[in-house]
Amino acid sequence: AMGRVPRHLLVPEKSRDRAYEDEDAPIGAGQVLCRPYVVALMTQVAQLRPSDRVLEVGTGSGYHAALLTEIAAEVYTIEIRPKLGKAAQQRLKQLGYTHVKVKVGDGFLGWREHAPYDVIVVTCAPESPPPPLVAQLAEGGRMVVPVGRGQTQTLTVLRKHLARAF
């Protein structure tokens, strides 16, 4: 999937010459697109299936959303910064990723209208998994989230299992 998504077209023009190097790429608004290794790792540990409905929190440039659509059936992505969200939506559309749904808003609240999600990928680091996202995760669903602050973050994979009464 990473070989099919044109990363260089999903970063600002000034960053295109270094788009495939294993380093973060600045995308504006003080944000970065994570290095390819981190994006690949997060995607791998999510254990995506072709039938999955995925919510991505933190659209950024749209690169990870495009990558997720190469694997999963449905992808919804939320970006809190309007400028980044609108630019990502336009870029994704221009590149033919018209089935990705982009929303500008607070991703920690999720996107209830399309829940439940089989996978939720959070690209920003909360101190703990946001309860609204956990609530929107399907039974057996997976959440990939870097937990922590600043330079101290732990990539965490959660699987939702509901308690059953007998």
Side-chain angles (χ1 to χ4, degrees):
M2 289 186 77
R4 291 189 299 268
V5 177
R7 183 176 166 99
H8 64 285
L9 297 178
L10 288 155
V11 297
E13 197 167 326
K14 65 183 178 184
S15 300
R16 287 185 179 167
D17 61 330
R18 300 179 61 95
Y20 294 97
E21 294 189 23
D22 196 32
E23 57 187 38
D24 295 342
I27 58 172
Q31 301 300 301
V32 297
L33 169 59
C34 288
R35 63 189 66 233
Y37 173 79
V38 172
V39 175
L41 178 62
M42 291 181 79
T43 304
Q44 180 182 20
V45 299
Q47 299 177 340
L48 293 170
R49 296 180 296 245
S51 61
D52 282 342
R53 175 181 292 175
V54 180
L55 173 65
E56 176 196 33
V57 175
T59 310
S61 72
Y63 173 70
H64 204 165
L67 180 64
L68 295 169
T69 64
E70 292 285 338
I71 304 167
E74 298 177 58
V75 176
Y76 301 85
T77 183
I78 305 174
E79 174 56 54
I80 198 166
R81 290 168 183 78
K83 183 178 178 181
L84 288 179
K86 291 174 185 174
Q89 185 173 29
Q90 183 178 20
R91 250 187 245 109
L92 288 164
K93 184 178 178 183
Q94 288 172 345
L95 293 171
Y97 293 102
T98 55
H99 55 286
V100 178
K101 288 153 186 83
V102 181
K103 176 180 179 178
V104 173
D106 186 347
F108 285 1
L109 299 177
W111 197 342
R112 284 193 319 253
E113 295 83 358
H114 301 288
Y117 300 98
D118 302 298
V119 175
I120 298 177
V121 177
V122 182
T123 63
C124 41
E127 290 183 17
S128 63
L133 295 181
V134 175
Q136 292 173 40
L137 194 59
E139 166 72 13
R142 290 96 50 213
M143 182 185 299
V144 179
V145 55
V147 177
R149 284 283 173 217
Q151 300 295 337
T152 307
Q153 299 172 10
T154 302
L155 185 59
T156 306
V157 180
L158 307 170
R159 184 175 293 271
K160 185 174 183 179
H161 293 287
L162 301 176
R164 291 183 174 83
F166 293 97

